[in-house]
Amino acid sequence: MQNAIVLAAGLGRKVWPYGEFRQKCTIPIANKPIIRRIVENLIEIGITRIIVVVGHYAQQVRGAVADLQNVEFVTQKQPEGTADAVLTALKHIEDEDYLVIYGDIVTDPNNIRYIVKEFYNQNAEVATLVQPLDDEDASNWLCANTKNGCLVGIEGHPRGGSHRLCGIFAFKTSATQYLLRNPWIVINVPVGGMPPPEAEIAQSLQLMIDDGTDVLAIDTKGFFIDVDKPWHVLEANRRYVEFLTAQVNDNHITNTAKISDSAEINGHVVLGENTVIGPRVVVDGTLIAGANNNITNGAIIKGHTFIGDKCRIHDYCLVQSSSIGNRCIIGHGAEMSGVLFNKVYLYHYCEMSGVFGSATDIGAATVCGTLRFDDRDTQIEVDGHLEIPTYGANETYMGDYCRTGVNAMIMPGRRIGSYSVVGPGVILYDDVPSKTMVMAKQELITKEWGPK
């Protein structure tokens, strides 16, 4: 297969606070945009023509992949669904087979290789990647039932189901007619279901099933995350960092990197140019760190951790199982677990857990609560729908360009929009909209006091 279509035009509303001012496909996973990883994976398996469908924040997508070979762009003028996006790209492809992949998918690269292999081995008309639902709520996904390795029915956001569609498809050109016949709405929904008027690839697959054409269903191998909501950003980063660190079987230290004799290394490290691990540092796990980092003076790094370039991590801070962007500072007793985008500053005894957007400044002693008194997970509203995430329900999700004041306290499962401030002493029980400042109003009592 020589052709691939990557869909990167969606609005990304559900991933708020990370999709409002950025294209969801450019969210960083282990410090690299999602779509760039996808395109690199396609190039690795021999795809020679990659058409990226852009729309919302198109220039951010171009900026992420335009320097890669064999990439071209087409524009979907209106967000009218995935089938419409594919048809937009197909105007530029002649009579050849093609792969379709959603631009917000984070997965083991072998899944892409595997679907192409099975598509040809079984001479399929169409192949699609599917994943068992397990603990996921079927009503949050486009779902399918399978039998003997093929799809037997598709339903949009059903009350039950065995598998979810993963957003990776392989098509013969003869199957394109089913994209053209798409009714521009998902007809297969449960009674009372209310599908949006969009042309989904899933409905075209159902038309094939109705015509008696086999649609090959291939189960995922390894990890797979569709980055649809904010907690998926957290999960995708952790799963990918685990994937990367699992491939590290020995130390890889460049000639210009240094490790202090007084550092305690219990695991393997991968260090880029000019990165220094200084005195009294403890590494307990696998660490991958880029170039020009200064990790020193008693910093503690536990679990599987990925650190970008030009970071300063020092003064007895604790970083645990995290993905850290470029130019971040974590210092003076700060604790961090989760994801930092680029240029986030954590200082002075703060306790942070979750995902924190670019250029965010965390005030001294800011605390993110992660354990509720009832020991339950937080129910979060997304696009008018309440759900309990299966991963990261009690974490904090803070957008780009935010600040907190000293002693701010953020309750479990709260989201803070971009360009916002949580002021000093605020106990935050509710989500904060973007471009909003929340300040505490203090009542003071003044009395006489003195030697008498």
mmCIF file of all heavy atoms in Angstrom, residues 133-164:
data_model
loop_
_atom_site.group_PDB
_atom_site.id
_atom_site.type_symbol
_atom_site.label_atom_id
_atom_site.label_comp_id
_atom_site.label_asym_id
_atom_site.label_seq_id
_atom_site.Cartn_x
_atom_site.Cartn_y
_atom_site.Cartn_z
ATOM 1 N N LEU A 133 -14.165 -3.335 24.321
ATOM 2 C CA LEU A 133 -14.555 -2.203 25.162
ATOM 3 C C LEU A 133 -14.036 -2.330 26.584
ATOM 4 O O LEU A 133 -13.703 -1.340 27.236
ATOM 5 C CB LEU A 133 -16.081 -2.066 25.185
ATOM 6 C CG LEU A 133 -16.681 -1.319 23.998
ATOM 7 C CD1 LEU A 133 -18.185 -1.489 23.971
ATOM 8 C CD2 LEU A 133 -16.322 0.148 24.042
ATOM 9 N N ASP A 134 -14.008 -3.546 27.109
ATOM 10 C CA ASP A 134 -13.585 -3.770 28.498
ATOM 11 C C ASP A 134 -14.392 -2.865 29.435
ATOM 12 O O ASP A 134 -15.599 -2.957 29.475
ATOM 13 C CB ASP A 134 -12.074 -3.554 28.644
ATOM 14 C CG ASP A 134 -11.270 -4.569 27.846
ATOM 15 O OD1 ASP A 134 -11.760 -5.700 27.701
ATOM 16 O OD2 ASP A 134 -10.176 -4.235 27.374
ATOM 17 N N ASP A 135 -13.714 -1.968 30.176
ATOM 18 C CA ASP A 135 -14.410 -1.126 31.152
ATOM 19 C C ASP A 135 -14.992 0.154 30.559
ATOM 20 O O ASP A 135 -15.631 0.933 31.267
ATOM 21 C CB ASP A 135 -13.453 -0.744 32.293
ATOM 22 C CG ASP A 135 -12.993 -1.954 33.092
ATOM 23 O OD1 ASP A 135 -13.768 -2.937 33.169
ATOM 24 O OD2 ASP A 135 -11.870 -1.923 33.627
ATOM 25 N N GLU A 136 -14.755 0.391 29.273
ATOM 26 C CA GLU A 136 -15.255 1.614 28.662
ATOM 27 C C GLU A 136 -16.782 1.572 28.517
ATOM 28 O O GLU A 136 -17.385 0.520 28.302
ATOM 29 C CB GLU A 136 -14.630 1.810 27.278
ATOM 30 C CG GLU A 136 -13.147 2.109 27.314
ATOM 31 C CD GLU A 136 -12.861 3.576 27.558
ATOM 32 O OE1 GLU A 136 -13.832 4.350 27.685
ATOM 33 O OE2 GLU A 136 -11.678 3.941 27.614
ATOM 34 N N ASP A 137 -17.401 2.752 28.609
ATOM 35 C CA ASP A 137 -18.839 2.891 28.423
ATOM 36 C C ASP A 137 -19.128 2.931 26.926
ATOM 37 O O ASP A 137 -18.645 3.816 26.209
ATOM 38 C CB ASP A 137 -19.310 4.185 29.095
ATOM 39 C CG ASP A 137 -20.817 4.371 29.037
ATOM 40 O OD1 ASP A 137 -21.495 3.642 28.285
ATOM 41 O OD2 ASP A 137 -21.326 5.260 29.747
ATOM 42 N N ALA A 138 -19.935 1.973 26.446
ATOM 43 C CA ALA A 138 -20.218 1.889 25.011
ATOM 44 C C ALA A 138 -20.864 3.157 24.476
ATOM 45 O O ALA A 138 -20.682 3.510 23.305
ATOM 46 C CB ALA A 138 -21.124 0.689 24.740
ATOM 47 N N SER A 139 -21.609 3.869 25.322
ATOM 48 C CA SER A 139 -22.322 5.055 24.852
ATOM 49 C C SER A 139 -21.381 6.197 24.469
ATOM 50 O O SER A 139 -21.805 7.182 23.871
ATOM 51 C CB SER A 139 -23.304 5.546 25.924
ATOM 52 O OG SER A 139 -22.630 6.008 27.081
ATOM 53 N N ASN A 140 -20.088 6.061 24.781
ATOM 54 C CA ASN A 140 -19.119 7.110 24.439
ATOM 55 C C ASN A 140 -18.456 6.892 23.081
ATOM 56 O O ASN A 140 -17.665 7.736 22.649
ATOM 57 C CB ASN A 140 -18.025 7.179 25.506
ATOM 58 C CG ASN A 140 -18.543 7.663 26.846
ATOM 59 O OD1 ASN A 140 -19.462 8.474 26.905
ATOM 60 N ND2 ASN A 140 -17.977 7.150 27.925
ATOM 61 N N TRP A 141 -18.786 5.762 22.397
ATOM 62 C CA TRP A 141 -18.032 5.409 21.201
ATOM 63 C C TRP A 141 -18.937 4.901 20.080
ATOM 64 O O TRP A 141 -20.075 4.506 20.316
ATOM 65 C CB TRP A 141 -17.002 4.320 21.527
ATOM 66 C CG TRP A 141 -16.068 4.693 22.619
ATOM 67 C CD1 TRP A 141 -16.097 4.269 23.920
ATOM 68 C CD2 TRP A 141 -14.965 5.613 22.546
ATOM 69 N NE1 TRP A 141 -15.087 4.846 24.644
ATOM 70 C CE2 TRP A 141 -14.374 5.677 23.830
ATOM 71 C CE3 TRP A 141 -14.416 6.371 21.519
ATOM 72 C CZ2 TRP A 141 -13.264 6.474 24.098
ATOM 73 C CZ3 TRP A 141 -13.309 7.169 21.796
ATOM 74 C CH2 TRP A 141 -12.750 7.204 23.066
ATOM 75 N N LEU A 142 -18.377 4.890 18.872
ATOM 76 C CA LEU A 142 -18.971 4.146 17.770
ATOM 77 C C LEU A 142 -18.539 2.698 17.929
ATOM 78 O O LEU A 142 -17.343 2.402 17.947
ATOM 79 C CB LEU A 142 -18.504 4.699 16.421
ATOM 80 C CG LEU A 142 -19.028 6.092 16.061
ATOM 81 C CD1 LEU A 142 -18.255 6.657 14.877
ATOM 82 C CD2 LEU A 142 -20.507 6.030 15.734
ATOM 83 N N CYS A 143 -19.512 1.807 18.061
ATOM 84 C CA CYS A 143 -19.212 0.424 18.447
ATOM 85 C C CYS A 143 -19.612 -0.562 17.352
ATOM 86 O O CYS A 143 -20.373 -0.248 16.436
ATOM 87 C CB CYS A 143 -19.931 0.081 19.754
ATOM 88 S SG CYS A 143 -19.347 1.052 21.156
ATOM 89 N N ALA A 144 -19.086 -1.772 17.486
ATOM 90 C CA ALA A 144 -19.357 -2.824 16.509
ATOM 91 C C ALA A 144 -19.364 -4.172 17.203
ATOM 92 O O ALA A 144 -18.720 -4.363 18.242
ATOM 93 C CB ALA A 144 -18.311 -2.814 15.403
ATOM 94 N N ASN A 145 -20.084 -5.104 16.631
ATOM 95 C CA ASN A 145 -20.015 -6.505 17.039
ATOM 96 C C ASN A 145 -19.270 -7.280 15.961
ATOM 97 O O ASN A 145 -19.344 -6.931 14.768
ATOM 98 C CB ASN A 145 -21.415 -7.075 17.239
ATOM 99 C CG ASN A 145 -22.109 -6.468 18.442
ATOM 100 O OD1 ASN A 145 -21.543 -6.403 19.529
ATOM 101 N ND2 ASN A 145 -23.326 -5.992 18.256
ATOM 102 N N THR A 146 -18.534 -8.298 16.369
ATOM 103 C CA THR A 146 -17.730 -9.064 15.428
ATOM 104 C C THR A 146 -18.084 -10.545 15.520
ATOM 105 O O THR A 146 -18.551 -11.036 16.544
ATOM 106 C CB THR A 146 -16.225 -8.885 15.704
ATOM 107 O OG1 THR A 146 -15.912 -9.454 16.979
ATOM 108 C CG2 THR A 146 -15.837 -7.416 15.704
ATOM 109 N N LYS A 147 -17.826 -11.237 14.417
ATOM 110 C CA LYS A 147 -18.020 -12.693 14.373
ATOM 111 C C LYS A 147 -17.100 -13.249 13.288
ATOM 112 O O LYS A 147 -17.083 -12.746 12.163
ATOM 113 C CB LYS A 147 -19.480 -13.035 14.048
ATOM 114 C CG LYS A 147 -19.771 -14.532 14.072
ATOM 115 C CD LYS A 147 -21.246 -14.801 13.799
ATOM 116 C CE LYS A 147 -21.553 -16.291 13.826
ATOM 117 N NZ LYS A 147 -22.988 -16.566 13.541
ATOM 118 N N ASN A 148 -16.323 -14.273 13.681
ATOM 119 C CA ASN A 148 -15.405 -14.924 12.736
ATOM 120 C C ASN A 148 -14.480 -13.914 12.046
ATOM 121 O O ASN A 148 -14.180 -14.030 10.863
ATOM 122 C CB ASN A 148 -16.187 -15.721 11.690
ATOM 123 C CG ASN A 148 -17.016 -16.829 12.303
ATOM 124 O OD1 ASN A 148 -16.635 -17.435 13.297
ATOM 125 N ND2 ASN A 148 -18.181 -17.086 11.716
ATOM 126 N N GLY A 149 -14.034 -12.924 12.819
ATOM 127 C CA GLY A 149 -13.057 -11.983 12.300
ATOM 128 C C GLY A 149 -13.618 -10.898 11.411
ATOM 129 O O GLY A 149 -12.846 -10.169 10.776
ATOM 130 N N CYS A 150 -14.951 -10.743 11.365
ATOM 131 C CA CYS A 150 -15.568 -9.707 10.540
ATOM 132 C C CYS A 150 -16.597 -8.936 11.355
ATOM 133 O O CYS A 150 -17.114 -9.426 12.361
ATOM 134 C CB CYS A 150 -16.250 -10.311 9.310
ATOM 135 S SG CYS A 150 -15.101 -11.018 8.103
ATOM 136 N N LEU A 151 -16.876 -7.710 10.920
ATOM 137 C CA LEU A 151 -17.941 -6.946 11.550
ATOM 138 C C LEU A 151 -19.297 -7.516 11.159
ATOM 139 O O LEU A 151 -19.514 -7.903 10.014
ATOM 140 C CB LEU A 151 -17.886 -5.476 11.103
ATOM 141 C CG LEU A 151 -16.622 -4.668 11.403
ATOM 142 C CD1 LEU A 151 -16.856 -3.210 11.029
ATOM 143 C CD2 LEU A 151 -16.229 -4.777 12.868
ATOM 144 N N VAL A 152 -20.216 -7.571 12.117
ATOM 145 C CA VAL A 152 -21.572 -8.025 11.821
ATOM 146 C C VAL A 152 -22.596 -6.930 12.089
ATOM 147 O O VAL A 152 -23.781 -7.121 11.822
ATOM 148 C CB VAL A 152 -21.937 -9.290 12.635
ATOM 149 C CG1 VAL A 152 -21.085 -10.458 12.195
ATOM 150 C CG2 VAL A 152 -21.801 -9.054 14.133
ATOM 151 N N GLY A 153 -22.183 -5.805 12.600
ATOM 152 C CA GLY A 153 -23.112 -4.713 12.837
ATOM 153 C C GLY A 153 -22.437 -3.571 13.552
ATOM 154 O O GLY A 153 -21.545 -3.771 14.370
ATOM 155 N N ILE A 154 -22.858 -2.363 13.220
ATOM 156 C CA ILE A 154 -22.304 -1.151 13.811
ATOM 157 C C ILE A 154 -23.438 -0.350 14.431
ATOM 158 O O ILE A 154 -24.541 -0.291 13.879
ATOM 159 C CB ILE A 154 -21.570 -0.318 12.743
ATOM 160 C CG1 ILE A 154 -20.295 -1.040 12.301
ATOM 161 C CG2 ILE A 154 -21.239 1.079 13.244
ATOM 162 C CD1 ILE A 154 -19.639 -0.448 11.094
ATOM 163 N N GLU A 155 -23.152 0.264 15.575
ATOM 164 C CA GLU A 155 -24.154 1.111 16.206
ATOM 165 C C GLU A 155 -23.446 2.303 16.858
ATOM 166 O O GLU A 155 -22.394 2.153 17.482
ATOM 167 C CB GLU A 155 -24.954 0.344 17.255
ATOM 168 C CG GLU A 155 -26.182 1.095 17.734
ATOM 169 C CD GLU A 155 -27.119 0.225 18.559
ATOM 170 O OE1 GLU A 155 -26.684 -0.851 19.023
ATOM 171 O OE2 GLU A 155 -28.276 0.625 18.746
ATOM 172 N N GLY A 156 -24.017 3.468 16.677
ATOM 173 C CA GLY A 156 -23.447 4.673 17.247
ATOM 174 C C GLY A 156 -23.857 4.887 18.687
ATOM 175 O O GLY A 156 -25.048 4.982 18.984
ATOM 176 N N HIS A 157 -22.883 4.928 19.597
ATOM 177 C CA HIS A 157 -23.122 5.208 21.017
ATOM 178 C C HIS A 157 -24.240 4.333 21.592
ATOM 179 O O HIS A 157 -25.227 4.820 22.135
ATOM 180 C CB HIS A 157 -23.452 6.692 21.201
ATOM 181 C CG HIS A 157 -22.463 7.589 20.532
ATOM 182 N ND1 HIS A 157 -21.203 7.811 21.048
ATOM 183 C CD2 HIS A 157 -22.524 8.302 19.368
ATOM 184 C CE1 HIS A 157 -20.545 8.638 20.240
ATOM 185 N NE2 HIS A 157 -21.307 8.939 19.221
ATOM 186 N N PRO A 158 -24.075 3.019 21.512
ATOM 187 C CA PRO A 158 -25.130 2.105 21.956
ATOM 188 C C PRO A 158 -25.159 1.942 23.469
ATOM 189 O O PRO A 158 -24.298 2.452 24.187
ATOM 190 C CB PRO A 158 -24.731 0.789 21.285
ATOM 191 C CG PRO A 158 -23.242 0.850 21.233
ATOM 192 C CD PRO A 158 -22.904 2.301 20.976
ATOM 193 N N ARG A 159 -26.136 1.217 23.941
ATOM 194 C CA ARG A 159 -26.219 0.919 25.376
ATOM 195 C C ARG A 159 -25.343 -0.269 25.749
ATOM 196 O O ARG A 159 -25.109 -0.540 26.919
ATOM 197 C CB ARG A 159 -27.679 0.654 25.759
ATOM 198 C CG ARG A 159 -28.555 1.888 25.563
ATOM 199 C CD ARG A 159 -30.010 1.642 25.980
ATOM 200 N NE ARG A 159 -30.789 2.861 25.832
ATOM 201 C CZ ARG A 159 -31.448 3.207 24.737
ATOM 202 N NH1 ARG A 159 -31.412 2.421 23.678
ATOM 203 N NH2 ARG A 159 -32.130 4.327 24.689
ATOM 204 N N GLY A 160 -24.877 -0.980 24.759
ATOM 205 C CA GLY A 160 -23.973 -2.108 24.982
ATOM 206 C C GLY A 160 -23.217 -2.396 23.700
ATOM 207 O O GLY A 160 -23.574 -1.904 22.633
ATOM 208 N N GLY A 161 -22.179 -3.195 23.786
ATOM 209 C CA GLY A 161 -21.389 -3.529 22.613
ATOM 210 C C GLY A 161 -20.145 -4.280 23.023
ATOM 211 O O GLY A 161 -19.757 -4.257 24.187
ATOM 212 N N SER A 162 -19.510 -4.942 22.081
ATOM 213 C CA SER A 162 -18.324 -5.734 22.400
ATOM 214 C C SER A 162 -17.037 -5.006 22.039
ATOM 215 O O SER A 162 -16.036 -5.117 22.747
ATOM 216 C CB SER A 162 -18.383 -7.078 21.664
ATOM 217 O OG SER A 162 -18.374 -6.887 20.255
ATOM 218 N N HIS A 163 -17.047 -4.251 20.933
ATOM 219 C CA HIS A 163 -15.844 -3.588 20.448
ATOM 220 C C HIS A 163 -16.154 -2.145 20.055
ATOM 221 O O HIS A 163 -17.298 -1.803 19.768
ATOM 222 C CB HIS A 163 -15.273 -4.307 19.224
ATOM 223 C CG HIS A 163 -14.710 -5.656 19.517
ATOM 224 N ND1 HIS A 163 -15.503 -6.756 19.814
ATOM 225 C CD2 HIS A 163 -13.424 -6.113 19.561
ATOM 226 C CE1 HIS A 163 -14.729 -7.816 20.022
ATOM 227 N NE2 HIS A 163 -13.466 -7.451 19.878
ATOM 228 N N ARG A 164 -15.114 -1.351 20.020
ATOM 229 C CA ARG A 164 -15.232 0.012 19.488
ATOM 230 C C ARG A 164 -14.381 0.132 18.239
ATOM 231 O O ARG A 164 -13.343 -0.546 18.092
ATOM 232 C CB ARG A 164 -14.770 1.039 20.512
ATOM 233 C CG ARG A 164 -13.453 0.725 21.149
ATOM 234 C CD ARG A 164 -12.934 1.847 21.987
ATOM 235 N NE ARG A 164 -12.543 2.977 21.174
ATOM 236 C CZ ARG A 164 -11.600 3.843 21.511
ATOM 237 N NH1 ARG A 164 -10.973 3.713 22.661
ATOM 238 N NH2 ARG A 164 -11.287 4.837 20.720
#
